[in-house]
Amino acid sequence: MFNSLSDRLTATFKNLRGKGRLSEADVDATVREIRRALLDADVAVPVVRAFAAQVKERALGLEVSQALNPGQQVVKIVNEELVGILGGETRRMRLAKNPPTVIMLAGLQGAGKTTLAGKLAKWLKGQGHSPLLVACDLQRPNAVKQLQVNGQRAGVPVFAPHPGVSSEFEAATGDPVDVARQGVAEARTKLHDVVIVDTAGRLGIDAELMQQASDIRDAVTPDEVLFVIDAMIGQDAVNTAQAFNEGVNFTGVVLTKLDGDARGGAALSVASITGKPVMFASTGEALTDFEVFHPDRMASRILDMGDILTLIEQAEQAWDKDEAARMAKKFADQEDFTLDDFLAQMQQIRNMGSMKKMLMMMPGAANMRQQLENFDEREIDRVEAIVRSMTPHERVAPKIINGSRRARIARGSGVHVSEVNGLLERFGQAQKMMRKMAAGGGIPGMPGMPGPGGFSGGARKGKPNAKGKKKPKSGNPAKAAQEAAAAEAKRNGQRAAVPSGAAFGKQDDFDPASLNLPKGFEKFLGK
């Protein structure tokens, strides 16, 4: 969503690197580029003006002029101001003291309210709540049926006493206000602690339907009124948001279609213009593509600083604790890492969601965007097919997989033999790494990890010098002779007994014969 804006801002900040002092001209040029980037992203003009003025005022102040790295300080200022226009702090949902908590959804038709209702219900269920969906959209064809399907997929019941209309030519019947009122009563009877009311969408600023939404609000007295807005609609988002704020006085905003390729100006405008926080974001088509909106994390994504906290939270939710405990015990017992374990880890990663989305949350991901766009999400499916085409014994002892077995596995999984070879090679590398970790050696080359190549491991012990490289000789002739003698003795399988002080004392103080040197070496020492 914010790819274009992120690229423009990142390119602008590159010009500030390495400057020991920023002149007023440097600040003006930077603010000008930021202003252009925001306008190109369809951010509302009043928001852009206020943002640019605030950044310029702070950039010309003491916090930059006295900073050790002015360029980084400007990036910090832009990040803080972005957090501000995105809402400042994360806004959590308010729950009613006396259940059920009533949540009403409102917005334009096509914004994705019905799909969002299913996502929100599934998310609330995962949080330990017992939600009930109420179908109050009786105008759009098959809207009730769509909500029922989403509720079934989310594992949440749907209250739908009226079927709604099945085609655009059918006249709307039924009273949405009465359905909403009955839905809340049903939730109290069935002990549901959250009610999600899905209302009819509006094609525009429709006075009649806006009055209907207002009547539903008065009837059920919701604890939260969420304005659902398509993040791809651009500048018009501001006018729509203001109209709905006046009509139903919403308490929070939900951005949908954040996985699209639009410029994302709505996300940067709505919270600032209406003063109402963005609470949730929908980032895909699956019911699990839903997350709490964190202004600070979104600002970090826009500035290509990554979003590690969200990545960790997704891992904690998707990771199987029993499987993690089993793997930990396996490492503690120093058992071999098998292809069954490898497959289990792949499946755990797949449960976290799209690999492409996860990788895009890493800092500096913008530099790899082209490669990530070409990443094939089906790679894990191919890995699973290859492993499942092996016999149980082959998964435990992959060394027995010869040419004929590889050909059989390739046929069984529908891939080329080269892909089977590649998987076995990657698995062999993973197995070596797991053995080293189980033995407490750490991961080679990882800073801060024990073992060779890490900061804690120091130099590589016992590894010979690279081929062709010779150890430099000492400048002291006597010491150089002793080093040469020791090396020769080592090659002959002997041990050189070097007397103390021989390296710096007189050469006459010791007998070369005491060194047990090879025959003829006395001439080299001048004896």
Side-chain angles (χ1 to χ4, degrees):
M1 170 59 74
F2 296 107
N3 290 351
S4 176
L5 177 61
S6 178
D7 291 344
R8 291 282 298 272
L9 292 178
T10 303
T12 300
F13 296 142
K14 283 182 180 177
N15 299 326
L16 300 178
R17 291 179 182 172
K19 292 194 175 185
R21 182 178 177 276
L22 294 183
S23 65
E24 187 171 350
D26 294 330
V27 173
D28 287 339
T30 301
V31 172
R32 190 183 309 117
E33 288 301 317
I34 292 173
R35 186 186 299 115
R36 288 175 179 171
L38 292 173
L39 289 173
D40 286 346
D42 266 345
V43 181
V45 174
V47 177
V48 175
R49 287 175 179 166
F51 181 86
Q54 187 65 17
V55 170
K56 182 175 181 179
E57 180 182 349
R58 293 184 60 184
L60 292 174
L62 292 177
E63 61 181 308
V64 171
S65 61
Q66 296 182 356
L68 293 176
N69 192 323
Q72 291 182 358
Q73 195 68 18
V74 171
V75 175
K76 177 175 177 289
I77 290 172
V78 173
N79 180 63
E80 291 174 354
E81 293 301 322
L82 271 178
V83 173
I85 67 172
L86 287 170
E89 297 180 353
T90 303
R91 161 77 151 75
R92 303 290 180 179
M93 182 175 290
R94 289 192 295 257
L95 298 176
K97 294 181 179 179
N98 298 316
T101 299
V102 180
I103 302 170
M104 174 181 167
L105 304 181
L108 293 179
Q109 186 170 319
K113 287 191 309 304
T114 304
T115 302
L116 180 84
K119 292 182 176 184
L120 179 59
K122 185 174 181 63
W123 180 80
L124 285 167
K125 185 178 179 182
Q127 299 290 314
H129 297 284
S130 175
L132 173 70
L133 290 166
V134 179
C136 293
D137 185 357
L138 307 180
Q139 280 82 17
R140 182 168 63 87
N142 294 316
V144 175
K145 181 64 177 176
Q146 182 187 356
L147 187 67
Q148 289 173 331
V149 171
N150 287 336
Q152 184 178 7
R153 290 169 58 199
V156 173
V158 178
F159 180 75
H162 197 285
V165 297
S166 57
S167 71
E168 58 183 334
F169 304 106
E170 185 178 345
T173 57
D175 185 1
V177 179
D178 187 51
V179 171
R181 192 181 292 109
Q182 291 179 38
V184 174
E186 176 76 5
R188 288 196 179 96
T189 303
K190 299 292 180 64
L191 301 180
H192 293 283
D193 64 342
V194 179
V195 180
I196 301 173
V197 180
D198 180 31
T199 65
R202 282 88 182 132
L203 292 173
I205 310 305
D206 187 312
E208 181 180 350
L209 290 177
M210 192 69 76
Q211 182 60 47
Q212 181 189 102
S214 179
D215 291 342
I216 292 175
R217 177 182 178 121
D218 293 340
V220 298
T221 317
D223 300 279
E224 296 281 8
V225 179
L226 301 183
F227 172 52
V228 182
I229 186 168
D230 184 344
M232 302 172 68
I233 67 174
Q235 290 276 350
D236 193 50
V238 175
N239 297 330
T240 306
Q242 287 178 324
F244 270 89
N245 195 28
E246 293 171 1
V248 296
N249 189 25
F250 58 81
T251 59
V253 179
V254 181
L255 294 172
T256 62
K257 306 178 187 178
L258 271 182
D259 57 325
D261 56 359
R263 290 168 287 186
L268 298 174
S269 305
V270 172
S272 181
I273 292 293
T274 64
K276 302 298 175 65
V278 179
M279 295 176 59
F280 299 101
S282 175
T283 57
E285 296 180 1
L287 290 182
T288 53
D289 293 333
F290 178 82
E291 60 187 50
V292 177
F293 188 88
H294 300 277
D296 53 341
R297 301 183 192 180
M298 185 58 69
S300 293
R301 291 189 203 180
I302 293 172
L303 296 180
D304 195 28
M305 296 177 183
D307 187 359
I308 300 299
L309 288 177
T310 298
L311 198 58
I312 293 172
E313 288 177 358
Q314 289 181 358
E316 288 177 342
Q317 292 173 3
W319 209 258
D320 187 339
K321 294 182 176 60
D322 294 336
E323 176 65 21
R326 186 185 72 82
M327 288 302 300
K329 184 178 184 302
K330 193 162 193 172
F331 286 153
D333 296 340
Q334 297 193 13
E335 297 178 18
D336 264 345
F337 184 69
T338 67
L339 277 162
D340 281 324
D341 299 326
F342 185 70
L343 179 60
Q345 299 303 304
M346 289 289 105
Q347 291 172 331
Q348 293 271 52
I349 292 173
R350 185 169 57 181
N351 290 339
M352 291 175 61
S354 168
M355 281 289 294
K356 191 181 298 184
K357 289 181 181 178
M358 287 191 290
L359 292 172
M360 285 301 296
M361 292 183 189
M362 301 298 291
N367 298 327
M368 305 182 296
R369 185 171 295 135
Q370 189 62 40
Q371 295 93 316
L372 292 177
E373 289 298 329
N374 296 329
F375 178 78
D376 190 354
E377 296 278 2
R378 295 171 298 177
E379 181 63 29
I380 295 180
D381 294 331
R382 281 192 283 270
V383 170
E384 182 174 358
I386 293 172
V387 176
R388 292 196 183 282
S389 296
M390 300 176 185
T391 65
H393 184 51
E394 287 172 342
R395 297 179 197 177
V396 177
K399 290 184 179 180
I400 69 170
I401 304 178
N402 55 20
S404 61
R405 288 175 183 262
R406 293 177 190 228
R408 189 206 78 236
I409 293 168
R411 288 195 302 271
S413 55
V415 300
H416 295 291
V417 176
S418 59
E419 295 183 63
V420 178
N421 294 338
L423 172 62
L424 291 174
E425 183 179 349
R426 293 197 302 272
F427 171 72
Q429 295 170 353
Q431 197 174 41
K432 288 179 183 177
M433 184 183 70
M434 294 302 179
R435 283 191 190 127
K436 181 171 281 293
M437 291 175 64
I443 302 175
M446 288 293 287
M449 295 293 291
F455 291 146
S456 302
R460 297 175 184 263
K461 296 180 181 179
K463 185 173 181 179
N465 291 335
K467 188 176 181 180
K469 288 189 177 181
K470 294 183 179 180
K471 186 176 179 180
K473 293 183 179 180
S474 170
N476 187 311
K479 186 175 181 181
Q482 288 187 16
E483 290 173 349
E488 183 67 22
K490 187 175 181 180
R491 283 195 295 270
N492 294 333
Q494 300 171 344
R495 183 174 181 180
V498 182
S500 62
F504 300 99
K506 295 180 180 179
Q507 296 298 307
D508 296 329
D509 291 345
F510 69 95
D511 182 4
S514 65
L515 295 178
N516 197 20
L517 299 176
K519 187 176 180 181
F521 210 85
E522 291 84 356
K523 291 182 180 180
F524 182 81
L525 297 177
K527 288 288 183 180

